[in-house]
Amino acid sequence: MANGVLKSGVLMEPRFKKAGGITRVIYETNPYDKATGLLRIVQKFSVVLLTTKGSDTVRPWFGTLFSLLPQMNIGKKSDLDVFVRDQVNDAKAQFDILQNEDRSTLSADDYLNNVEILGIEVVNTNNVVVSLRFTSATEQALEYSLSS
């Protein structure tokens, strides 16, 4: 943590899985039980942002179109900026709904106050890096980048 900003990615946990006599190490996102505070917020927000809208048959409204970004043909940087902002805002609105359902069980550290887009960088034709800053209700901040 430097200057009150924790820089990190999604919390990953190695799991060992045995299949047919072969032991594999599988890294998967921890199901929120070990992460707390901003890391938990980032994990949950990432699930909303990266789930393709309509792919959840129980909640067809859940998710965004962000995961389709690598397949899109966006010619202008301004169009890309608008698309990313729309998807992040959509994810934030959905996250707020989900968060308010759990409000009574959340501590201030686990409550997302704001998500801000710090930058959108086109690395090459099919790779865009989006940097976000998450701020909790206790004004702690975490910067997180995702690459499409």
Side-chain angles (χ1 to χ4, degrees):
M1 185 120 112
N3 299 334
V5 176
L6 176 67
K7 293 192 178 193
S8 178
V10 174
L11 181 65
M12 303 293 274
E13 181 174 304
R15 300 194 190 257
F16 296 97
K17 188 172 186 179
K18 203 155 193 134
I22 300 169
T23 302
R24 298 181 298 162
V25 178
I26 298 171
Y27 285 88
E28 57 186 35
T29 53
N30 194 324
Y32 319 131
D33 60 345
K34 299 205 189 245
T36 58
L38 283 168
L39 286 177
R40 182 182 301 206
I41 289 170
V42 170
Q43 282 184 333
K44 289 181 176 183
F45 188 89
S46 296
V47 168
V48 176
L49 184 64
L50 298 175
T51 298
T52 304
K53 188 172 278 199
S55 64
D56 185 340
T57 55
V58 176
R59 301 176 296 180
W61 54 267
F62 184 80
T64 68
L65 300 176
F66 187 85
S67 63
L68 302 177
L69 184 58
Q71 303 160 10
M72 299 178 77
N73 187 12
I74 299 177
K76 292 191 272 183
K77 174 79 165 67
S78 59
D79 292 342
L80 173 67
D81 291 349
V82 168
F83 175 78
V84 169
R85 287 185 199 294
D86 286 348
Q87 301 316 304
V88 169
N89 288 337
D90 190 13
K92 172 70 167 93
Q94 291 178 46
F95 190 86
D96 286 345
I97 291 168
L98 297 170
Q99 184 171 249
N100 286 333
E101 290 173 358
D102 294 336
R103 193 164 181 78
S104 62
T105 61
L106 293 176
S107 71
D109 287 336
D110 292 333
Y111 191 81
L112 177 62
N113 192 37
N114 189 35
V115 61
E116 169 190 3
I117 299 173
L118 298 176
I120 302 168
E121 178 187 353
V122 178
V123 178
N124 60 39
T125 352
N126 291 328
N127 193 0
V128 176
V129 176
V130 178
S131 299
L132 303 170
R133 176 190 293 261
F134 295 86
T135 308
S136 70
T138 58
E139 296 301 318
Q140 292 182 323
L142 180 139
E143 291 178 5
Y144 178 74
S145 294
L146 9 128
S147 178
S148 66

